[in-house]
């Protein structure tokens, strides 16, 4: 099934329901959204020779046109290649070349940077700037009456990993993967209704973009903030004016939203659901978020390779404060999604019992087809149908998964494994610590030493001795940092993930 069938169905079921909105302003209804997608598909097909299976890039920041163009691509049976708008033109050009895109939608700045990077004379994909060229020609073209027929295993979305180390890899997601992941949202994350507003404060090119499908299916409204990005005050204001808002937010965004709500003396009224994930949510932070904003939170754990869909910690588990293991569960990433099995394996591939720590593996219908043009990486990542996530964690008897760290971030000091997350959790309970990232730095005697990179809260002060005493009050002596480095901010990638590789390089160089 072509995922664009969901748009075609909603245009029949909810033709006059608002579909695309910028801030509180309605741009078009479902009938018009589908008409535009079908015209863009006709235009790509007849004027630009795009055939089913061709790759078409989307290199632009969030806007309602983003969704129109994406559905135009799927309607034509082509494959969308979303590229984060904050990437450098050279990085975007590399993705275009690696995936062999035939056509690219860009907007303003991204157009200039991509053209410069592609240079003259290279076999360049056709680039179309929706800002300067406008989408009118495409919208006015004769449309394809129905989405082009696609099989479950046909490629729909070629998503490049954020590449915190090395070159990004193209994760191949099929129409079937997208349907499976979207249905898991309904069963494990949240209900979706036609009067709901999906608010895109995080880049549509990443996980947040995946949540558009189930909202299209339900005939819900898609809201792109006027700022086109994440502004906590704008989100809180939109929540109040629109109501029934749901959104995805990385943990760093949740933290900023909570700070803004506190400063405004508000609790996030009108925002029904904040789905968080994509990076560690520390216990101290989620407890504060629940205190300030109430039961609006659902956690997901996933990765591009099983998009947004490995485990979920539902709203229900966020509220079971009387449960004897409430805090343990709140610190976990929840239980497997409905379409996913999770297991833990040892370094030599044995399946480990509950309570034991090892690599997290996942199997199920949302899991990718493999990596684009990279058989070797596919073979080492998917073994016997199981996706090796590269994350380390443990399951408990009830099926709750607790993530320790990415395997490459585990610190081995004096032959013992130290999980940075545990040390980070301990330090974050100190009032003076705003953010922290713990990494291992090579040491001739110990193999690696634990180093904490600390960002202090505004106006707060703390020294090594205070933080060391604080760690000793909650974690084993051998785990505590040997060194503290105070930084004004932590290096993060475009999706808000802390770049531990950069921290290690910086500390190693020193
Ligand atoms: P990406 O493929 O860029 O979405 O990154 C996926 C990685 O982010 C996972 O393999 C995890 O290491 C991390 N991650 C995703 N969700 C969570 C979560 N809820 N808690 C902690 N880490 C997470």
């Amino acid at each position: 099934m072509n995922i664009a069938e969901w748009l075609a169905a909603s245009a029949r079921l909810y033709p006059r329901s608002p579909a695309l909105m910028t801030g509180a302003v309605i741009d078009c209804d479902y009938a018009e959204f589908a008409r535009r997608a079908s015209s863009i598909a006709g235009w790509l097909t007849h004027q630009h020779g795009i055939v089913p299976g061709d790759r078409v890039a989307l290199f632009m920041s969030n806007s309602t046109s983003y969704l129109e163009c994406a559905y135009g691509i799927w309607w034509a049976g082509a494959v969308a290649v979303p590229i984060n708008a904050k990437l450098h033109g050279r990085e975007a050009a590399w993705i275009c070349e690696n995936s062999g895109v035939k056509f690219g939608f860009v907007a303003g700045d991204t157009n200039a940077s991509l053209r410069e990077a592609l240079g003259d004379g290279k076999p360049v994909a056709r680039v179309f700037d929706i800002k300067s060229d406008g989408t009118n020609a495409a919208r006015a073209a004769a449309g394809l009456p129905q989405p082009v027929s696609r099989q479950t295993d046909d490629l729909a979305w070629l998503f490049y990993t954020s590449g915190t180390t090395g070159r990004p890899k193209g994760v191949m997601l099929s129409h079937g993967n997208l349907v499976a992941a979207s249905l898991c949202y309904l069963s494990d994350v949240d209900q979706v209704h036609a009067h709901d507003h999906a608010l895109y404060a995080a880049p549509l090119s990443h996980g947040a973009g995946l949540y558009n499908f189930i909202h299209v299916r339900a005939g819900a409204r898609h809201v792109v903030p006027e700022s086109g990005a994440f502004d906590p005050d704008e989100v809180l204001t939109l929540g109040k004016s629109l109501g029934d808002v749901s959104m995805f937010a990385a943990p760093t965004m949740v933290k900023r939203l909570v700070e803004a709500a506190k400063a405004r003396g508000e609790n996030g009224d009108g925002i029904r659901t904040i789905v968080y994930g994509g990076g560690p949510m520390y216990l101290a932070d989620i407890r504060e978020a629940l205190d300030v904003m109430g039961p609006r939170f659902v956690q997901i754990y996933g990765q591009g390779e099983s998009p947004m869909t490995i485990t979920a910690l539902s709203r229900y588990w966020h509220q079971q404060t009387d449960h004897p293991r409430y805090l343990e569960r709140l610190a976990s990433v929840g239980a497997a999604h409905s379409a996913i099995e999770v297991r833990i394996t040892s370094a030599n591939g044995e399946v480990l019992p509950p309570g034991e720590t090892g690599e997290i593996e996942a199997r199920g219908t949302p899991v990718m087809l493999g990596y684009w043009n990279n058989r070797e990486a596919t073979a080492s990542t998917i073994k016997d149908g199981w996706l090796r996530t590269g994350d380390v964690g443990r399951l408990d008897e009830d099926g709750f998964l607790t993530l320790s760290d990415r395997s490459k971030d585990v610190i081995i000091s004096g032959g013992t494994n130290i999980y940075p997350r545990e040390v980070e959790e301990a330090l974050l309970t100190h009032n003076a610590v705003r953010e922290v990232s713990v990494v291992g730095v090579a040491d001739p005697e110990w193999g690696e030493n634990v180093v904490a990179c600390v960002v202090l809260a505004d106006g707060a002060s703390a020294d090594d001795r205070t933080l060391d005493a604080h760690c000793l009050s909650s974690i084993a002596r051998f785990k505590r940092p040997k060194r503290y480095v105070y930084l004004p901010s932590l290096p993060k990638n475009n999706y808000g993930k802390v770049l531990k590789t950069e921290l290690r390089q910086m500390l190693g160089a020193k």
Side-chain angles (χ1 to χ4, degrees):
M1 191 191 87
N2 185 334
I3 193 85
E5 291 290 353
W6 282 2
L7 176 58
S10 284
R12 292 188 294 269
L13 294 167
Y14 319 100
R16 296 287 152 249
S17 291
L20 303 179
M21 299 173 65
T22 303
V25 179
I26 297 170
D27 178 1
C28 71
D29 60 23
Y30 268 91
E32 175 62 9
F33 182 12
R35 195 202 62 72
R36 289 181 191 173
S38 111
S39 292
I40 293 173
W43 179 78
L44 285 172
T45 306
H46 301 303
Q47 311 227 5
H48 300 289
I50 295 298
V51 298
D54 278 350
R55 274 81 56 213
V56 178
L58 287 163
F59 183 34
M60 46 198 204
S61 51
N62 288 3
S63 67
T64 51
S65 307
Y66 195 107
L67 288 169
E68 280 177 35
C69 295
Y71 275 88
I73 296 169
W74 293 313
W75 198 289
V79 179
V81 184
I83 304 174
N84 189 308
K86 287 195 190 141
L87 287 191
H88 191 282
R90 276 203 308 276
E91 297 167 300
W94 186 88
I95 292 175
C96 288
E97 283 175 27
N98 185 266
S99 59
V101 301
K102 287 248 182 84
F103 193 92
F105 288 105
V106 291
D109 291 353
T110 59
N111 184 9
S113 72
L114 182 63
R115 278 181 201 272
E116 193 187 321
L118 285 168
D120 298 328
K122 279 208 181 155
V124 179
R126 250 220 82 183
V127 173
F128 185 82
D129 189 334
I130 62 154
K131 277 224 171 110
S132 60
D133 303 336
T135 42
N136 287 344
R139 280 184 188 166
L144 303 185
Q146 287 303 319
V148 168
S149 170
R150 297 272 77 196
Q151 300 291 326
T152 304
D153 277 347
D154 282 335
L155 192 54
W157 177 283
L158 188 54
F159 163 82
Y160 278 75
T161 56
S162 45
T164 44
T165 52
R167 283 287 195 194
K169 295 190 281 283
V171 171
M172 297 193 288
L173 298 175
S174 67
H175 289 269
N177 291 149
L178 300 179
V179 168
S182 302
L183 296 182
C184 277
Y185 185 93
L186 282 189
S187 62
D188 310 312
V189 177
D190 203 12
Q191 291 299 303
V192 186
H193 310 282
H195 56 257
D196 287 345
H197 298 90
L199 178 62
Y200 302 110
L204 280 163
S205 54
H206 204 70
L210 262 296
Y211 285 166
N212 93 77
F213 300 112
I214 199 62
H215 288 87
V216 163
R217 173 70 195 148
R221 299 146 195 215
H222 305 262
V223 184
V224 176
E226 243 174 293
S227 65
F230 175 63
D231 172 348
D233 283 307
E234 187 183 21
V235 168
L236 292 168
T237 305
L238 274 174
K240 279 206 289 199
S241 69
L242 300 175
D244 284 316
V245 165
S246 64
M247 61 185 282
F248 173 78
T252 48
M253 292 164 68
V254 173
K255 207 172 160 86
R256 287 180 57 201
L257 200 58
V258 169
E259 278 165 9
K262 248 189 351 192
R264 290 161 61 122
E266 294 176 10
N267 67 358
D269 235 6
I271 305 176
R272 193 186 61 224
T273 306
I274 298 170
V275 184
Y276 65 90
M281 170 61 94
Y282 300 103
L283 189 57
D285 290 340
I286 186 61
R287 292 185 81 184
E288 170 155 49
L290 287 164
D291 273 354
V292 175
M293 298 185 71
R296 305 181 197 278
F297 297 93
V298 178
Q299 181 178 195
I300 59 97
Y301 157 58
Q303 53 179 205
E305 290 81 347
S306 187
M308 308 296 261
T309 317
I310 297 177
T311 62
L313 186 72
S314 68
R315 193 190 309 269
Y316 176 80
W317 293 115
H318 280 83
Q319 288 174 275
Q320 299 307 298
T321 49
D322 292 340
H323 193 282
R325 293 205 304 281
Y326 173 64
L327 289 183
E328 209 178 289
R329 288 182 168 181
L330 197 58
S332 80
V333 292
H337 269 97
S338 307
I340 289 281
E341 294 168 86
V342 172
R343 69 181 192 183
I344 306 293
T345 58
S346 67
N348 49 20
E350 285 156 345
V351 179
L352 295 173
E356 289 197 25
T357 300
E359 181 166 9
I360 300 164
E361 297 191 353
R363 182 169 74 171
T365 40
V367 172
M368 66 165 178
L369 302 173
Y371 294 113
W372 176 258
N373 274 347
N374 197 339
R375 259 199 226 154
E376 218 173 284
T378 303
S380 60
T381 306
I382 301 185
K383 287 241 153 83
D384 304 322
W386 287 89
L387 169 72
R388 303 179 58 188
T389 61
D391 290 319
V392 176
R394 62 175 194 281
L395 281 166
D396 72 7
E397 294 281 352
D398 306 324
F400 284 81
L401 178 70
T402 299
L403 230 72
S404 309
D405 275 285
R406 298 285 301 158
S407 51
K408 62 179 167 44
D409 292 332
V410 173
I411 302 169
I412 305 179
S413 187
T416 308
N417 281 7
I418 298 171
Y419 297 105
R421 170 132 186 207
E422 210 186 326
V423 186
E424 290 162 358
E425 293 270 13
L427 281 165
L428 276 168
T429 57
H430 194 286
N431 285 341
V433 177
R434 182 169 198 278
E435 281 189 296
V436 63
S437 184
V438 167
V439 293
V441 173
D443 178 80
E445 191 182 347
W446 295 95
E448 276 183 305
N449 270 339
V450 179
V451 179
C453 301
V454 178
V455 179
L456 292 175
D458 289 345
S461 65
D463 56 20
D464 296 7
R465 193 138 32 121
T466 320
L467 295 182
D468 194 51
H470 188 73
C471 282
L472 277 175
S473 67
S474 62
I475 55 171
R477 183 168 282 272
F478 73 90
K479 295 179 186 169
R480 68 198 218 279
K482 288 245 166 52
R483 183 148 70 102
Y484 291 89
V485 177
Y486 300 89
L487 299 173
S489 63
L490 296 176
K492 292 184 185 143
N493 75 5
N494 292 318
Y495 299 108
K497 282 187 208 287
V498 175
L499 292 167
K500 292 205 173 199
T501 317
E502 225 164 82
L503 286 175
R504 278 189 288 260
Q505 272 163 4
M506 182 188 89
L507 296 167
K510 279 190 182 166

